Amino acid sequence: EIALSGQADLVESFPSGRAEEARGAGLQVVSQPSATTVAVYLNPSSKQSPALADQDVRQALAWGTDRAKVVELATKGLATPLPSWLASNPAYPKAATAGFTSFDLDRAERLLDGAGWTAGSDGMRSKDGKPLAIRLLTFGAEAATGEVLQAQWRALGVDLKVRNAEASLVTQSLKNGDWDAVTQAWTTLGNVPAFLDNQIGPEGAGNHGRYQVKGVAETIRQATVAKDPAAREAAVLKVNQAMTETVPSIPVHSRVAAVALAKGVKGFVGHPLQYETIIRGDLTVS
């Protein structure tokens, strides 16, 4: 409201849902590709949705996600589709060409068929009389992402039940194990080996599903101690690839880092990290 009423020349964290309204009011809405990955974390130990223990099912959900369409509908085009978790990091461009690089509904359907989840007359899938149902917890702006995924995964025959909850509830659900899937956003720019250890390391705080991937801990160690940049990059990309194969989480898009600018603002330069300063010496307002 402050931006729309002309009381501010620059507003950070501008909501993507109001981008069109802002542009109609004469504001410029700028979104710097952020080095933060929004992903859907999956619980292989879920009692409510035991299908998530099957890597083929997790792969199917990932291939059945149309990231470009999610970005278009959920973020109004202000985010970047991400095929792998590390793809939001500009220092690793190869990560943006690896992983789930396309929307492949046929492949997703074949994976679910092979895993024994058959589609009924209504298109919804079941196995041994039980429906393929998943509960997804979202938080804040990620609610829109969850709603688009709900429609996309329904085309796969998956009944995705989305609930936008307070952060405290999401944290409690993760703590007590009563969850199937949850959206979270994690920064990827910085100490990448440490970030990867957090995501997929045996004791990582972001490894919510407690995945134990053979060889990953050693590869992360190699990335941590490597003095040669090429060796470090190779190890980092190897871990990133292991994540796309195991699918502890489904990368979807970068976090929106939109800024609304008044007409008189000149020299604005965005930053890939959400909380970094964007006020520079050559920024002017006329």
Side-chain angles (χ1 to χ4, degrees), residues 174-252:
L174 290 171
K175 184 178 180 179
N176 62 26
D178 185 20
W179 65 286
D180 304 336
V182 61
T183 58
Q184 281 194 341
W186 291 80
T187 296
T188 62
L189 187 61
N191 187 340
V192 175
F195 291 160
L196 289 171
D197 188 44
N198 182 67
Q199 291 291 308
I200 195 60
E203 303 299 327
N207 185 0
H208 302 304
R210 287 292 169 255
Y211 292 82
Q212 304 293 313
V213 183
K214 184 178 180 180
V216 157
E218 174 58 22
T219 306
I220 291 174
R221 188 196 68 79
Q222 292 171 2
T224 302
V225 302
K227 298 186 182 302
D228 175 39
R232 182 183 304 109
E233 179 183 30
V236 162
L237 293 175
K238 184 176 180 180
V239 176
N240 188 59
Q241 180 60 31
M243 290 177 66
T244 64
E245 293 171 357
T246 308
V247 203
S249 61
I250 298 172
V252 184

Side-chain angles (χ1 to χ4, degrees), residues 267-280:
F268 171 79
V269 177
H271 196 283
L273 292 181
Q274 182 181 8
Y275 301 110
E276 298 299 313
T277 180
I278 57 174
I279 305 301
R280 296 156 47 98

